[in-house]
Amino acid sequence: MTGGILPAAHPRLAAAIWLTGASHLCLAAGHLALGSDRFLTLSMGAMSLWGISRLMRDEIWPGDYYVFALGIYSGTAALAVKLAYGQPLQSNLQHPGMACAILLGGFVAAAGAAEIARLVARRVVPPATVRAWADPGLLARAYPWLLAAGAAFLLLHVAVRPRMVAGVLHQTDGFGGFGAFTFLLTLGLAAASRRLLIDGARGPFRVLILAGIAMVTLSLVANTKREVFEFGICLLLGLLAARARLRILPSLAAIGAAAVVALYVSPVIHLMRNDFLEIGLVGRVSEGWSILKAHGFDPAALAEEEARFFAGFSYAYREAGSYIFPERGAFDRFMLILPVDQVARMALEGEVMGVRPFAREALEGILPSILIDKSVMVGSDRVAWAYGIREYGSSARPVLGFTATALAMGGPVAVISAPILVLLPVLIAFNIAFGHLRASALGHGFIAISWYLAEQGVDSLISFAGRNAALMWVVSALLATWWKERRA
């Protein structure tokens, strides 16, 4: 059986289904005991379950992964975090029922678009580029060079990229083009993990350990957590692609590494954020070490200092502006019901922005600066200013998601139509061009860099497709052609 849910005989599918179902029943029971609204509990649980079920298929396409991530942002995170803080799901929302109905409508439309994209992709012969990146010979030859090139481009990007100044959305002169090639790093990780987990090669094992250390270092240098996160995503996707059986010692080591990142690396990155622009690339690593020493390597002290930092940094942490107020765990970005609620306050009264601002931002993200004047803002920034979400003096980019930006664009009608008009063709292109997770390292690597698309607005999704995804496919096709000619 291909393309659907894994066969019942699969040794770990039944356990995954039972674990998923039992955990969601516990979450629902906990929220009902807290007094959470039944409609919110049922809707968020349904979105979460549907999203997670997309990873239980034999073929996991980029569209399936998008719906999985959307389920996390729409349901799973809110259920888990709000229960952990002892807050009902409707708390800190002004229109909880209406906001949840809009979020659910957008999710259903997006999930429908993903299913259509899946049906289309399964009826198309995989491109030669996808087949080439399944060749163990190409993976073995390419992954060391991909890792080196990707790291080099990331360092170049950090060294010369435009920078935010004055705590608002202005930026200095610079060049951000090198950042478009950092996908090479993720593609190299995907190739190395497949060589280890699927092909059984032992060489990539040490390389991946060194790569993990390097990714932590690169995260400190870039002052972002994305590098560490994509490293973990690549390994997890490799385990999923290989249907690998989890072992106790490696699992404990992975949990320990994740705890180190969460308790030490993440706070250090945030605490360096105000000053890191004045520090050189090498100095940022030593500065991170100094922060750890100054707090006695105490996770509690780091977390307390991080909370103070967030209280003055982001637009979200003020009364009625945070879904989990007064806590400041920086978890709001993973709960898309909050921006839907914030936009719905005005959008439902007919105050919408129209298509033009978002079309302009999408073109700015795709076209070179010689063809179009660019600003640092994206559609989510414009929505945040227009609907009173952002406060002046904050350079934190708001996470609004596809549904909230579509709502701002054209009201409830756009929430249903935008996934069909915009998301559907994008997901069809992704599925066909990159293939599913188990098909090759190309789909594996692409899914790993697309994990954050669930939090992107309408214009940012189009920009990603026209710039990042297109460039990744062109470079991958050129490398596949080189390999084919070399073997001939």
Side-chain angles (χ1 to χ4, degrees):
M1 178 179 179
T2 60
I5 299 296
L6 295 180
H10 191 280
R12 289 172 291 282
L13 177 61
I17 292 174
W18 278 106
L19 179 62
T20 301
S23 62
H24 280 73
L25 284 175
C26 290
L27 287 171
H31 275 290
L32 293 176
L34 274 178
S36 290
D37 181 87
R38 292 182 180 181
F39 174 65
L40 268 69
T41 303
L42 179 62
S43 298
M44 289 184 174
M47 288 185 284
S48 177
L49 283 169
W50 184 263
I52 292 173
S53 72
R54 302 306 88 182
L55 294 192
M56 296 181 184
R57 291 174 151 183
D58 191 26
E59 296 174 356
I60 301 170
W61 299 85
D64 295 322
Y65 192 82
Y66 177 83
V67 174
F68 161 73
L70 196 62
I72 298 295
Y73 279 79
S74 300
T76 316
L79 290 168
V81 174
K82 293 287 277 189
L83 182 61
Y85 284 131
Q87 298 179 4
L89 291 171
Q90 67 272 19
S91 62
N92 302 329
L93 298 175
Q94 291 194 12
H95 306 285
M98 189 170 296
C100 187
I102 294 171
L103 184 68
L104 179 62
F107 180 88
V108 170
E115 289 302 307
I116 296 173
R118 175 187 182 85
L119 292 173
V120 173
R122 292 188 66 204
R123 285 161 173 76
V124 175
V125 176
T129 301
V130 173
R131 298 194 300 271
W133 281 95
D135 188 336
L138 173 58
L139 303 188
R141 184 66 181 269
Y143 79 80
W145 297 102
L146 289 170
L147 291 173
F153 276 115
L154 178 60
L155 292 173
L156 285 171
H157 171 65
V158 172
V160 302
R161 66 183 172 185
R163 294 166 180 171
M164 301 289 186
V165 295
V168 291
L169 285 176
H170 300 296
Q171 65 183 21
T172 61
D173 292 332
F175 178 70
F178 291 121
F181 290 94
T182 56
F183 70 85
L184 294 171
L185 189 57
T186 310
L187 184 58
L189 291 171
S193 63
R194 293 178 78 90
R195 286 288 293 151
L196 173 66
L197 297 170
I198 296 178
D199 300 333
R202 303 306 303 170
F205 180 73
R206 293 180 180 177
V207 173
L208 285 171
I209 292 178
L210 294 174
I213 298 173
M215 294 298 266
V216 171
T217 304
L218 290 171
S219 284
L220 291 174
V221 169
N223 198 245
T224 62
K225 299 184 292 293
R226 179 173 176 173
E227 291 73 26
V228 173
F229 197 80
E230 286 188 4
F231 175 77
I233 288 289
C234 268
L235 293 185
L236 290 173
L237 290 174
L239 291 170
L240 188 60
R243 297 177 180 149
R245 186 183 300 274
L246 296 180
R247 301 182 184 278
I248 295 178
L249 289 180
S251 298
L252 291 176
I255 293 172
V260 168
V261 170
L263 297 176
Y264 294 100
V265 177
S266 180
V268 166
I269 288 173
H270 292 143
L271 295 178
M272 287 174 59
R273 190 150 288 174
N274 283 333
D275 304 316
F276 85 107
L277 292 178
E278 307 301 325
I279 307 172
L281 298 184
V282 177
R284 295 177 190 180
V285 179
S286 61
E287 177 66 16
W289 182 256
S290 299
I291 291 174
L292 289 174
K293 289 177 63 177
H295 291 82
F297 298 93
D298 181 2
L302 286 168
E304 184 178 352
E305 184 67 24
E306 184 184 31
R308 283 195 290 268
F309 166 79
F310 276 125
F313 180 77
S314 178
Y315 74 95
Y317 303 113
R318 66 182 191 274
E319 191 170 1
S322 170
Y323 190 38
I324 52 172
F325 184 86
E327 300 293 341
R328 296 184 176 92
F331 295 123
D332 286 79
R333 68 180 297 174
F334 301 109
M335 295 169 241
L336 292 179
I337 193 171
L338 174 65
V340 171
D341 180 73
Q342 292 171 321
V343 173
R345 300 168 192 175
M346 297 167 62
L348 295 178
E349 297 177 0
E351 297 187 33
V352 296
M353 300 173 64
V355 174
R356 186 174 179 178
F358 298 93
R360 169 77 188 191
E361 295 301 334
L363 289 175
E364 285 186 19
I366 297 173
L367 298 177
S369 56
I370 60 173
L371 298 178
I372 188 171
D373 293 330
K374 297 192 177 188
S375 71
V376 71
M377 297 182 74
V378 297
S380 292
D381 297 310
R382 299 194 181 280
V383 173
W385 287 118
Y387 289 84
I389 298 172
R390 162 175 275 144
E391 289 182 331
Y392 184 81
S394 171
S395 60
R397 172 145 284 158
V399 173
L400 303 188
F402 194 95
T403 298
T405 53
L407 182 64
M409 179 189 299
V413 173
V415 171
I416 304 300
S417 60
I420 303 302
L421 298 176
V422 176
L423 186 61
L424 176 58
V426 168
L427 293 184
I428 289 175
F430 287 172
N431 287 357
I432 294 175
F434 297 97
H436 60 82
L437 172 64
R438 295 191 174 98
S440 74
L442 186 58
H444 185 157
F446 178 75
I447 288 174
I449 71 167
S450 67
W451 63 270
Y452 70 98
L453 289 185
E455 64 183 38
Q456 297 300 296
V458 176
D459 60 301
S460 296
L461 179 71
I462 297 173
S463 297
F464 176 88
R467 184 187 62 235
N468 302 71
L471 184 60
M472 181 175 181
W473 192 86
V474 168
V475 172
S476 301
L478 291 174
L479 290 172
T481 301
W482 164 81
W483 177 249
K484 181 179 180 181
E485 292 177 349
R486 185 180 181 275
R487 295 191 64 184

